[in-house]
Amino acid sequence: MPGRRAPSAERTACLHSSRRLHAEFAAERDWDQFHQPRSLLLALVGEVGELAELFRRLHAEFAAERDWDQFHQPRSLLLALVGEVGELAELFQWKSDAEPGPRAWPLKERAALQEELSDVLIYLVALAARCHVDLPQAVLSKMDTNRQRYPVHLSRGSARKYTDLPLGATSEDRAAEPLDLACASTGQCSTTATKDGS
């Protein structure tokens, strides 16, 4: 199609690297057990993948043909994205974790799942483009941050947030705190007042 160009080798390599880094990061920490569809939906930590630029162009062309760019300001795109996430969440609402996962859903529900996931991705890519955010590069940067916040020896097999790990916070997140050996070894920590007094 005229005007379309394939993603550069550099961008493709960057995207593959991003996917690999996330897989390695989760495997090292035994987090695959937490990466079920429902958890991934709630976290909304999805890979955009190497089709991000294609999706952006397809959506831009679709909107331009209909003169919809005037409505696609960041705030409007964000609200549309939140609305689509809500529709996606409805598909999982009231389903037990003990039930078979989405792969076993009836065809009608699976079709709805594909449609809502697509809507979420389309709006996410469009919002990133409007905000001039390079998603593949942003993911690589975020994975570097996650590696610092979740050291393997402290986070493997744990669903705790980095601020709740023993010595889990980085200097950029909070001031260094003295090591409470009893807390680190038993997990029974004394309650201390926070900045807000709670």
Side-chain angles (χ1 to χ4, degrees):
M1 186 174 293
R4 292 197 176 175
R5 53 188 175 84
S8 68
E10 182 179 347
R11 174 176 285 272
T12 301
C14 176
L15 291 164
H16 284 302
S17 177
S18 168
R19 184 180 301 126
R20 180 179 52 76
L21 285 172
H22 183 265
E24 290 174 357
F25 178 81
E28 288 171 347
R29 288 154 180 82
D30 192 26
W31 284 357
D32 287 336
Q33 59 183 315
F34 306 118
H35 288 180
Q36 300 303 312
R38 183 176 178 186
S39 299
L40 292 172
L41 170 65
L42 293 174
L44 199 57
V45 180
E47 291 184 10
V48 175
E50 61 193 44
L51 295 177
E53 180 61 19
L54 173 60
F55 295 159
R56 185 200 66 75
R57 287 202 308 267
L58 286 173
H59 183 262
E61 291 172 6
F62 178 85
E65 289 169 350
R66 290 156 179 79
D67 191 24
W68 285 355
D69 283 337
Q70 58 184 314
F71 308 119
H72 289 177
Q73 299 307 312
R75 177 180 174 276
S76 297
L77 289 170
L78 173 60
L79 292 176
L81 172 61
V82 170
E84 296 299 341
V85 170
E87 292 181 20
L88 178 59
E90 284 181 5
L91 299 176
F92 289 83
Q93 191 174 22
W94 313 125
K95 292 190 186 307
S96 166
D97 287 337
E99 293 181 26
R103 294 178 71 175
W105 287 1
L107 289 179
K108 184 177 180 181
E109 288 188 4
R110 283 201 53 78
L113 176 62
Q114 293 176 20
E115 187 170 312
E116 299 307 338
L117 282 170
S118 298
D119 285 339
V120 168
L121 181 57
I122 288 167
Y123 279 119
L124 177 63
V125 171
L127 178 60
R130 275 289 181 163
C131 295
H132 304 284
V133 171
D134 183 333
L135 279 176
Q137 287 295 336
V139 169
L140 289 176
S141 176
K142 180 61 175 173
M143 288 309 304
D144 285 341
T145 299
N146 286 346
R147 284 184 181 280
Q148 295 172 22
R149 289 179 172 176
Y150 295 95
V152 174
H153 70 286
L154 293 176
S155 57
R156 183 171 176 79
S158 172
R160 289 181 178 182
K161 187 175 179 180
Y162 67 94
T163 53
D164 295 329
L165 293 172
L167 297 181
T170 60
S171 58
E172 69 188 51
D173 300 307
R174 66 182 184 190
E177 298 175 357
L179 174 61
D180 181 345
L181 293 177
C183 172
S185 63
T186 66
Q188 297 177 350
C189 305
S190 59
T191 304
T192 56
T194 59
K195 290 180 183 177
D196 60 5
S198 60

